[in-house]
Coordinates of all heavy atoms in Angstrom, one line a residue:
P192 N -13.2 30.0 19.6 CA -12.8 29.2 18.4 C -13.2 27.8 18.5 O -13.5 27.2 17.4 CB -11.3 29.4 18.4 CG -10.9 29.7 19.8 CD -12.1 30.5 20.3
F193 N -13.3 27.2 19.6 CA -13.7 25.8 19.8 C -15.3 25.6 19.6 O -15.8 24.7 19.1 CB -13.3 25.2 21.1 CG -11.8 25.2 21.3 CD1 -11.1 26.2 22.0 CD2 -11.0 24.1 20.7 CE1 -9.7 26.1 22.1 CE2 -9.7 24.1 20.8 CZ -9.0 25.1 21.5
A194 N -16.0 26.6 20.2 CA -17.5 26.6 20.0 C -17.9 26.7 18.6 O -18.9 26.2 18.2 CB -18.1 27.7 20.8
A195 N -17.1 27.4 17.8 CA -17.4 27.5 16.4 C -17.4 26.1 15.6 O -18.1 26.0 14.6 CB -16.4 28.4 15.7
F196 N -16.7 25.2 16.2 CA -16.7 23.8 15.6 C -18.2 23.3 15.6 O -18.6 22.5 14.7 CB -15.8 22.9 16.4 CG -14.4 22.8 15.9 CD1 -13.4 23.4 16.6 CD2 -14.1 22.2 14.7 CE1 -12.1 23.4 16.1 CE2 -12.8 22.2 14.2 CZ -11.8 22.8 14.9
A197 N -18.9 23.6 16.7 CA -20.3 23.1 16.8 C -21.3 24.1 16.3 O -22.5 24.0 16.5 CB -20.6 22.8 18.2
G198 N -20.8 25.2 15.6 CA -21.7 26.2 15.0 C -22.3 27.1 16.1 O -23.4 27.6 15.9
Q199 N -21.6 27.3 17.2 CA -22.1 28.1 18.3 C -21.3 29.3 18.5 O -20.1 29.3 18.3 CB -22.1 27.3 19.6 CG -22.9 26.0 19.6 CD -24.4 26.3 19.7 OE1 -24.8 27.1 20.6 NE2 -25.2 25.8 18.8
D200 N -22.0 30.4 18.9 CA -21.3 31.7 19.2 C -21.2 31.8 20.7 O -22.2 32.2 21.4 CB -22.0 32.8 18.6 CG -21.4 34.2 18.9 OD1 -20.3 34.2 19.4 OD2 -21.9 35.2 18.5
V201 N -20.1 31.4 21.3 CA -19.9 31.4 22.7 C -18.6 31.9 23.1 O -17.6 31.6 22.5 CB -20.0 29.9 23.3 CG1 -19.8 29.9 24.8 CG2 -21.4 29.3 23.0
R202 N -18.5 32.8 24.1 CA -17.3 33.4 24.6 C -17.2 33.0 26.1 O -18.2 33.0 26.8 CB -17.2 34.9 24.4 CG -17.2 35.3 23.0 CD -16.9 36.8 22.9 NE -17.9 37.7 23.5 CZ -19.0 38.1 23.0 NH1 -19.3 37.7 21.7 NH2 -19.8 38.8 23.7
G203 N -15.9 32.8 26.5 CA -15.7 32.4 27.9 C -14.5 31.5 28.0 O -13.6 31.5 27.1
N204 N -14.4 30.8 29.1 CA -13.3 29.9 29.4 C -13.8 28.6 30.0 O -15.0 28.5 30.4 CB -12.3 30.5 30.3 CG -12.9 31.0 31.6 OD1 -13.2 30.2 32.5 ND2 -13.1 32.3 31.8
A205 N -13.0 27.6 30.0 CA -13.4 26.3 30.5 C -12.3 25.6 31.2 O -11.1 25.7 30.8 CB -14.0 25.4 29.4
T206 N -12.6 24.8 32.2 CA -11.7 23.9 32.9 C -12.3 22.5 33.0 O -13.5 22.3 33.4 CB -11.4 24.4 34.3 OG1 -10.8 25.7 34.3 CG2 -10.4 23.4 35.0
I207 N -11.5 21.5 32.5 CA -12.0 20.1 32.5 C -11.0 19.2 33.3 O -9.8 19.2 33.0 CB -12.2 19.6 31.1 CG1 -13.2 20.5 30.3 CG2 -12.7 18.1 31.0 CD1 -13.2 20.2 28.8
N208 N -11.6 18.5 34.2 CA -10.8 17.5 35.0 C -11.4 16.1 34.8 O -12.6 16.0 35.2 CB -10.6 17.9 36.4 CG -9.7 19.1 36.6 OD1 -8.5 19.1 36.6 ND2 -10.4 20.3 36.8
A209 N -10.7 15.2 34.4 CA -11.2 13.8 34.2 C -10.3 12.8 34.8 O -9.1 12.9 34.8 CB -11.4 13.6 32.6
R210 N -11.0 11.7 35.2 CA -10.3 10.6 35.8 C -10.8 9.3 35.1 O -12.0 9.1 35.1 CB -10.5 10.5 37.3 CG -10.0 11.7 38.0 CD -10.5 11.8 39.5 NE -12.0 11.9 39.5 CZ -12.7 13.0 39.3 NH1 -12.1 14.1 38.9 NH2 -14.0 13.1 39.4
L211 N -9.9 8.5 34.7 CA -10.2 7.3 34.0 C -9.5 6.1 34.6 O -8.4 6.2 35.1 CB -9.8 7.3 32.5 CG -10.4 8.4 31.7 CD1 -9.4 9.6 31.6 CD2 -10.7 8.0 30.3
A212 N -10.2 5.0 34.7 CA -9.6 3.8 35.3 C -10.1 2.5 34.6 O -11.3 2.5 34.1 CB -10.0 3.7 36.8
R213 N -9.2 1.5 34.5 CA -9.6 0.3 33.8 C -9.1 -0.9 34.6 O -7.9 -0.9 35.0 CB -9.0 0.2 32.4 CG -9.5 -1.0 31.6 CD -9.0 -1.0 30.2 NE -7.5 -1.0 30.2 CZ -6.8 -1.0 29.0 NH1 -7.4 -0.9 27.9 NH2 -5.5 -1.1 29.1
G214 N -10.0 -1.8 34.9 CA -9.6 -3.0 35.7 C -10.3 -4.2 35.2 O -10.9 -4.2 34.1
R215 N -10.3 -5.3 36.0 CA -10.9 -6.5 35.6 C -12.5 -6.3 35.4 O -13.1 -7.0 34.6 CB -10.6 -7.6 36.6 CG -9.2 -8.0 36.5 CD -8.9 -9.1 37.5 NE -7.5 -9.6 37.5 CZ -7.0 -10.5 38.3 NH1 -7.8 -11.1 39.2 NH2 -5.8 -10.9 38.1
G216 N -13.0 -5.4 36.2 CA -14.5 -5.2 36.2 C -15.0 -4.3 35.1 O -16.2 -4.1 35.0
G217 N -14.0 -3.7 34.3 CA -14.4 -2.8 33.3 C -13.7 -1.5 33.4 O -12.7 -1.3 34.1
S218 N -14.3 -0.5 32.8 CA -13.7 0.9 32.8 C -14.6 1.9 33.4 O -15.9 1.8 33.3 CB -13.4 1.3 31.3 OG -12.5 0.4 30.7
T219 N -14.1 2.8 34.1 CA -14.9 3.9 34.7 C -14.3 5.2 34.3 O -13.1 5.4 34.1 CB -14.9 3.8 36.3 OG1 -13.5 3.9 36.8 CG2 -15.4 2.4 36.7
V220 N -15.2 6.3 34.3 CA -14.8 7.6 34.0 C -15.5 8.6 34.8 O -16.7 8.3 35.1 CB -15.0 7.9 32.5 CG1 -16.5 7.8 32.1 CG2 -14.5 9.3 32.1
A221 N -14.9 9.6 35.3 CA -15.5 10.7 36.0 C -14.9 12.0 35.5 O -13.7 12.1 35.3 CB -15.2 10.5 37.5
A222 N -15.8 13.0 35.3 CA -15.3 14.2 34.7 C -16.1 15.4 35.3 O -17.3 15.3 35.6 CB -15.5 14.3 33.2
D223 N -15.3 16.5 35.6 CA -15.9 17.7 36.1 C -15.6 18.8 35.2 O -14.4 19.0 34.8 CB -15.4 18.1 37.5 CG -15.8 17.0 38.5 OD1 -16.9 17.1 38.9 OD2 -14.9 16.2 38.9
V224 N -16.6 19.6 34.7 CA -16.4 20.6 33.7 C -16.9 21.9 34.3 O -18.1 21.9 34.8 CB -17.1 20.3 32.4 CG1 -16.9 21.5 31.4 CG2 -16.7 19.0 31.8
D225 N -16.1 23.0 34.3 CA -16.5 24.3 34.8 C -16.4 25.3 33.6 O -15.3 25.4 33.0 CB -15.7 24.8 36.0 CG -15.8 23.9 37.2 OD1 -17.0 23.9 37.7 OD2 -14.9 23.2 37.6
L226 N -17.5 25.9 33.3 CA -17.6 26.9 32.3 C -17.8 28.3 32.8 O -18.7 28.5 33.7 CB -18.7 26.6 31.3 CG -18.7 25.3 30.6 CD1 -19.9 25.1 29.7 CD2 -17.4 25.1 29.7
G227 N -17.0 29.3 32.4 CA -17.2 30.7 32.7 C -17.6 31.4 31.5 O -16.7 31.6 30.6
L228 N -18.9 31.7 31.3 CA -19.3 32.3 30.1 C -19.4 33.9 30.2 O -19.9 34.4 31.2 CB -20.7 31.8 29.8 CG -20.9 30.3 29.7 CD1 -22.3 29.9 29.4 CD2 -19.9 29.7 28.6
T229 N -18.8 34.5 29.2 CA -18.7 36.0 29.2 C -19.6 36.6 28.1 O -19.7 37.8 28.1 CB -17.3 36.4 29.1 OG1 -16.7 35.9 27.9 CG2 -16.4 35.9 30.3
G230 N -20.1 35.8 27.2 CA -20.9 36.4 26.2 C -21.1 35.5 25.0 O -20.7 34.3 25.0
G231 N -21.7 35.9 24.0 CA -22.0 35.2 22.8 C -23.5 35.2 22.4 O -24.3 35.7 23.2
A232 N -23.8 34.8 21.2 CA -25.2 34.9 20.7 C -26.0 33.6 20.9 O -27.2 33.6 20.5 CB -25.1 35.3 19.2
A233 N -25.4 32.5 21.4 CA -26.1 31.3 21.6 C -27.3 31.5 22.5 O -27.1 32.1 23.6 CB -25.2 30.2 22.1
A234 N -28.5 31.0 22.2 CA -29.7 31.3 22.9 C -29.6 30.7 24.3 O -30.3 31.2 25.2 CB -30.9 30.7 22.1
W235 N -28.9 29.6 24.5 CA -29.0 28.9 25.8 C -28.1 29.6 26.8 O -28.2 29.3 28.0 CB -28.5 27.4 25.6 CG -27.2 27.3 25.0 CD1 -27.0 27.1 23.6 CD2 -25.9 27.3 25.6 NE1 -25.7 27.0 23.4 CE2 -25.0 27.1 24.5 CE3 -25.4 27.4 26.8 CZ2 -23.6 27.0 24.8 CZ3 -24.1 27.4 27.1 CH2 -23.2 27.2 26.1

Side-chain angles (χ1 to χ4, degrees):
F193 297 97
F196 272 106
Q199 298 287 310
D200 181 5
V201 178
R202 296 192 298 274
N204 55 75
T206 301
I207 302 172
N208 291 282
R210 300 166 299 282
L211 303 94
R213 184 177 65 180
R215 293 181 177 178
S218 301
T219 61
V220 60
D223 294 286
V224 182
D225 294 297
L226 301 178
L228 304 179
T229 59
W235 53 268

